[in-house]
Amino acid sequence: MPEQNVKEKQPNGCGEKGRERNRTSLIILQSVNRSIFTSAVSPAAERIRFILGEDDDSPAPPQLFTELDELLAVDGQEMEWKETARWIKFEEKVEQGGERWSKPHVATLSLHSLFELRTCIEKGSIMLDLEASSLPQVVEMVVDNQIETGLLKPEMKDKVTYTLLRKHRHQTKKSNLRSLADIGKTVSSASRMFTNPDNGSPAMTHRNLTSSSLNDISDKPDKEQLKNKFMKKLPRDAEASNVLVGEVDFLEAPFIAFVRLQQAVMLGALTEVPVPTRFLFILLGPKGKAKSYHEIGRAIATLMSDEVFHDIAYKAKDRQDLIAGIDEFLDEVIVLPPGEWDPAIRIEPPKSLPSSDKRKNMYSGVFIWSRYVFCYVSLIFVFISFSPKPTSPHRGWIIPPFGENPWWVYLAAAIPALLVTILIFMDQQITAVIVNRKEHKLKKGAGYHLDLFLVAVLMIICSFMGLPWYVAATVISIAHIDSLKMETETSAPGEQPKFLGVREQRVTGVIVFILTGISVFMAPILKFIPMPVLYGVFLYMGVASLNGVQFMDRLKLLLMPLKHQPDFIYLRHVPLRRVHLFTFLQVVCLALLWILKSTVAAIIFPVMILALVAVRKAMDYLFSQHDLSFLDDVIPEKDKKKKEDEKKKKKKKGSLDSDNEDSDCPYSEKVPSIKIPMDIMEQEPFLSDSKPSDSE
């Protein structure tokens, strides 16, 4: 048979098979055209951009706690809803035997389950902003909606209602949980009640079922919910999303509903934790596909924990908005080929997550790393002291600038004075730069300029009084600012607390300096502290402050195999041998400074630090500016990586826009015809004539 257009067999669209094939072909072709042949931005992305871009005064959607309950048999008798997994950001499963929760892990979904979920949203009941105050009321409205739209037979109302109002057993309660494989061998108690001839008339059956089910439903949280310590992981305004999936023997087609309540309502013991429910996803289907129902439930629960779909679920106005949210999620999904990854492996949550909504720092105090507060407070001690003399009884408080020294000593002293000034200036400024890095989110970092001025003034005062100079203590300063960091108190299991900022205040600084001053009078007590203890404290503080320093990271690379090396930004752009060469030169310079500091020539240490400027300039002849921009840049590692990722996104967007403008194939809603040999279609059709709900 010669090739001909598929549509020619049913030129007028007549015939059920022809229409079904054309409809399926249309979906496939539109999917392909949407991705590469037409608009650079998919319709789903455009719709999502419109939904999330709406300017409204409503507050941000609250955090969602999502719980997956499955209809399982208990002790081989009655069916009840058993909690099998939960989400805030990451998935936690009930381990084998149902005695404890698994570690939080990244949810891995099958692509098939996502497509099945899309079909569920496309074909099921979508009820948005439903006004209801109890679970029985929600169930009744959902069931009635299914009957009105022809999705459920009226005679199935009582059975579905009875099933949906069965008892919910959470992980806090121990039970004998049967495996999914055994579910198919158990007959539903609901089915037995309906097939028992002793039940009487349909009206009596409805009353019996309703009363039996309602006895399992409570309007108020039970004691187990109120005692659940998991509430500490949730913010106060958190809401719940309940996913109910299971198989029954009285349905011929799946019963599917997605419900968003107009106001979050406490639905008794429906949820593990006592938080009001906002969303309900229900999937009841015929027996034999429990595994598919389970994966679809995991798919919608994972979507509800996704930041973008979470916002879409709150703002969606119709079914198409939800479908667009799923399509956008599918656009971002990365598929791992079978055989390349073991699905049973649980992926550990990452240490940091990219967030679309950055929280603002709610604390706008004044934080200045103020040595002027120190100013050895200490002046107050000066030492109000009852002693009329300073440390030496042979001199007064003020040291005469001119003594019995030869005149040339005053000129020669200018050289070491210059070196010390350089050293203090560099130490002060280096500490200020480290502490005032952007990732610390300080609000009053400009106060360091005032610090430097006060340090210079007090150096003059200290010089005349014969008192020791002081300057910023880098290690102590970093340790201090780390101790003042603020993090989120509520974080999802497996999620690292998010950094909010620094408690910018003067209290701790004042206390530190007061204690420093008091320590002068505590010498008789402090002398009993073993020196190894002090050395240990200083060693710990020094080692802790090395964390995140690029030089230390590059030292580790010298002894690290290539496959175990982290994804540092400079490793993306600089050859490894050039990285090692740069590290080697730094090690040599550090060794020379260390040797010099340990000898009598330590007085010229500041000069050697200045000499490093010349060394850095000489590196321009060994390394390209491209390499040096990554190996010796003032921008922190994570900020540089973030900027590069943003640059790539902009570049990608720009290229897509230009391709769209210059494309020779403008977007067209028309579906191109496809020619398929009819003999092949008749012998081995590649598109099933059956509906998706009937296929396995």
Side-chain angles (χ1 to χ4, degrees):
M1 180 179 294
E3 293 184 1
Q4 54 182 322
N5 192 298
V6 174
K7 295 184 179 180
E8 291 178 359
K9 189 173 182 179
Q10 300 290 345
N12 297 323
C14 300
E16 184 176 351
K17 291 185 178 180
R19 286 196 299 269
E20 183 67 25
R21 288 175 180 173
N22 289 340
R23 185 185 66 83
T24 308
S25 302
L26 180 66
I27 294 174
I28 296 174
L29 292 173
Q30 283 182 337
S31 176
V32 174
N33 288 338
R34 184 171 63 233
S35 59
I36 59 176
F37 291 117
T38 59
S39 176
V41 181
S42 67
E46 289 287 358
R47 194 179 189 100
I48 297 306
R49 184 181 303 172
F50 175 77
I51 297 172
L52 301 183
E54 289 183 339
D55 187 15
D56 54 14
D57 298 331
S58 59
Q63 179 76 59
L64 270 183
F65 170 81
T66 305
E67 177 179 320
L68 173 61
D69 288 4
E70 299 186 59
L71 192 63
L72 303 176
V74 178
D75 298 331
Q77 297 181 0
E78 292 194 4
M79 304 286 282
E80 67 180 19
W81 295 103
K82 178 68 177 67
E83 181 183 18
T84 58
R86 66 186 181 189
W87 286 256
I88 297 181
K89 287 186 178 297
F90 303 101
E91 180 179 13
E92 294 178 89
K93 293 181 179 179
V94 177
E95 296 284 21
Q96 187 71 22
E99 296 297 331
R100 67 184 182 92
W101 286 105
S102 69
K103 288 183 61 178
H105 54 275
V106 179
T108 53
L109 306 175
S110 66
L111 196 60
H112 180 72
S113 67
L114 289 171
F115 284 118
E116 290 271 69
L117 173 63
R118 189 184 189 280
T119 304
C120 289
I121 297 297
E122 194 174 36
K123 294 180 177 294
S125 296
I126 305 298
M127 306 180 70
L128 303 179
D129 296 331
L130 187 69
E131 295 185 11
S133 58
S134 64
L135 182 60
Q137 187 178 2
V138 172
V139 170
E140 182 177 6
M141 296 176 72
V142 170
V143 174
D144 289 343
N145 178 268
Q146 289 259 327
I147 295 175
E148 291 175 2
T149 55
L151 297 175
L152 182 69
K153 296 179 180 179
E155 56 268 23
M156 292 290 103
K157 177 178 180 178
D158 294 336
K159 295 183 179 181
V160 173
T161 302
Y162 171 81
T163 302
L164 293 178
L165 294 180
R166 294 299 299 153
K167 182 187 298 182
H168 288 259
R169 188 182 298 273
H170 305 293
Q171 174 54 24
T172 54
K173 300 178 181 179
K174 294 184 179 180
S175 64
N176 296 323
L177 176 64
R178 304 190 65 192
S179 64
L180 291 174
D182 295 334
I183 297 177
K185 302 177 183 178
T186 304
V187 180
S188 166
S189 61
S191 176
R192 290 199 300 271
M193 291 188 68
F194 279 100
T195 55
N196 191 345
D198 297 332
N199 286 335
S201 63
M204 181 64 69
T205 299
H206 176 67
R207 287 197 297 270
N208 291 338
L209 290 174
T210 304
S211 60
S212 176
S213 298
L214 290 178
N215 287 335
D216 295 334
I217 300 299
S218 174
D219 294 335
K220 299 180 180 179
D222 58 20
K223 295 181 180 179
E224 295 293 338
Q225 285 177 294
L226 297 175
K227 293 180 180 179
N228 196 335
K229 297 181 180 179
F230 193 74
M231 277 296 295
K232 296 180 180 179
K233 301 291 185 181
L234 296 169
R236 293 182 179 180
D237 62 343
E239 297 178 348
S241 170
N242 294 92
V243 179
L244 309 178
V245 299
E247 60 175 7
V248 292
D249 56 3
F250 55 81
L251 286 178
E252 298 178 356
F255 177 94
I256 305 162
F258 181 90
V259 178
R260 183 182 69 199
L261 299 178
Q262 187 177 38
Q263 297 292 333
V265 179
M266 188 71 70
L267 299 180
L270 178 65
T271 312
E272 175 194 350
V273 287
V275 295
T277 295
R278 172 75 72 164
F279 297 95
L280 271 172
F281 177 83
I282 302 172
L283 171 57
L284 291 177
K287 279 190 170 293
K289 298 183 179 180
K291 182 64 176 177
S292 297
Y293 305 150
H294 171 76
E295 291 301 323
I296 294 173
R298 289 184 62 245
I300 184 63
T302 303
L303 276 167
M304 296 303 294
S305 64
D306 176 70
E307 288 189 8
V308 176
F309 189 85
H310 165 271
D311 293 348
I312 294 171
Y314 272 95
K315 297 182 178 181
K317 291 182 172 59
D318 52 31
R319 183 193 311 270
Q320 296 305 319
D321 288 348
L322 295 174
I323 294 176
I326 299 177
D327 289 342
E328 191 276 339
F329 185 87
L330 285 168
D331 288 342
E332 301 298 324
V333 165
I334 297 176
V335 179
L336 294 174
E340 300 292 334
W341 178 261
D342 185 2
I345 296 177
R346 293 174 180 171
I347 305 175
E348 292 289 333
K351 292 184 179 180
S352 60
L353 291 174
S355 176
S356 58
D357 299 324
K358 294 183 179 179
R359 299 182 180 177
K360 296 183 179 179
N361 188 0
M362 301 301 296
Y363 299 87
S364 57
V366 178
F367 176 74
I368 301 177
W369 199 260
S370 41
R371 261 74 59 186
Y372 62 87
V373 178
F374 180 23
C375 311
Y376 332 75
V377 170
S378 300
L379 287 177
I380 296 176
F381 282 94
V382 173
F383 286 79
I384 61 173
S385 175
F386 292 101
S387 174
K389 296 293 181 181
T391 55
S392 175
H394 303 293
R395 70 174 179 86
W397 282 105
I398 304 299
I399 298 177
F402 302 100
E404 300 177 355
N405 296 320
W407 64 269
W408 56 268
V409 174
Y410 308 120
L411 299 179
I415 298 176
L418 176 63
L419 300 179
V420 174
T421 302
I422 295 172
L423 179 61
I424 292 177
F425 175 81
M426 294 186 66
D427 195 3
Q428 168 75 23
Q429 289 302 93
I430 289 173
T431 303
V433 169
I434 293 176
V435 173
N436 198 33
R437 294 172 76 171
K438 290 183 178 180
E439 59 263 33
H440 290 160
K441 299 182 178 180
L442 299 183
K443 301 295 183 182
K444 300 295 181 180
Y448 292 108
H449 300 295
L450 178 60
D451 288 352
L452 181 60
F453 171 75
L454 292 174
V455 167
V457 172
L458 288 169
M459 280 184 65
I460 299 175
I461 298 175
C462 292
S463 300
F464 278 103
M465 300 182 67
L467 301 176
W469 296 318
Y470 59 89
V471 75
T474 307
V475 175
I476 298 176
S477 299
I478 297 175
H480 190 184
I481 202 170
D482 285 338
S483 68
L484 297 177
K485 288 183 176 180
M486 297 182 299
E487 296 176 334
T488 52
E489 296 181 359
T490 57
S491 56
E495 179 189 18
Q496 296 293 327
K498 293 182 179 179
F499 174 66
L500 299 178
V502 175
R503 294 180 179 89
E504 306 183 47
Q505 38 77 25
R506 297 187 179 101
V507 178
T508 53
V510 172
I511 294 176
V512 167
F513 298 137
I514 290 176
L515 294 176
T516 303
I518 294 176
S519 66
V520 175
F521 303 100
M522 298 178 62
I525 300 176
L526 296 177
K527 69 180 182 181
F528 293 106
I529 299 178
M531 290 304 294
V533 174
L534 296 179
Y535 292 150
V537 172
F538 296 147
L539 178 62
Y540 169 78
M541 294 177 65
V543 172
S545 63
L546 292 176
N547 186 32
V549 178
Q550 189 195 101
F551 175 66
M552 299 304 300
D553 294 335
R554 286 190 273 102
L555 280 179
K556 296 176 185 177
L557 292 178
L558 293 172
L559 303 176
M560 190 180 297
L562 187 63
K563 61 181 179 180
H564 295 298
Q565 293 177 356
D567 183 25
F568 293 131
I569 186 66
Y570 51 84
L571 291 180
R572 298 182 183 179
H573 300 274
V574 183
L576 186 60
R577 63 182 183 277
R578 307 294 292 175
V579 174
H580 289 337
L581 176 60
F582 188 85
T583 306
F584 173 75
L585 293 177
Q586 279 190 311
V587 171
V588 171
C589 293
L590 179 61
L592 291 176
L593 289 176
W594 190 279
I595 294 173
L596 180 66
K597 181 179 177 295
S598 304
T599 63
V600 293
I603 189 63
I604 65 171
F605 180 77
V607 177
M608 295 305 299
I609 293 182
L610 283 179
L612 293 180
V613 177
V615 174
R616 172 61 177 82
K617 187 63 178 177
M619 286 186 176
D620 291 341
Y621 299 96
L622 295 177
F623 300 90
S624 65
Q625 292 301 319
H626 173 269
D627 293 350
L628 290 176
S629 65
F630 289 97
L631 295 175
D632 191 32
D633 198 0
V634 295
I635 301 179
E637 166 74 17
K638 68 172 185 178
D639 289 347
K640 199 172 186 69
K641 185 183 293 186
K642 180 180 178 181
K643 285 188 176 182
E644 179 178 305
D645 293 339
E646 291 177 354
K647 185 177 179 181
K648 286 183 177 179
K649 289 181 180 178
K650 290 181 179 179
K651 184 178 180 181
K652 181 179 179 182
K653 182 179 179 181
S655 62
L656 289 175
D657 292 341
S658 61
D659 290 343
N660 188 35
E661 293 175 0
D662 301 336
S663 175
D664 293 333
C665 300
Y667 175 75
S668 175
E669 290 292 340
K670 295 182 179 180
V671 180
S673 60
I674 178 171
K675 295 184 178 181
I676 303 175
M678 295 307 299
D679 54 348
I680 298 179
M681 288 286 293
E682 293 176 354
Q683 296 175 5
E684 209 170 313
F686 65 96
L687 294 176
S688 175
D689 290 340
S690 60
K691 298 182 179 178
S693 60
D694 298 330
S695 61
E696 174 59 22

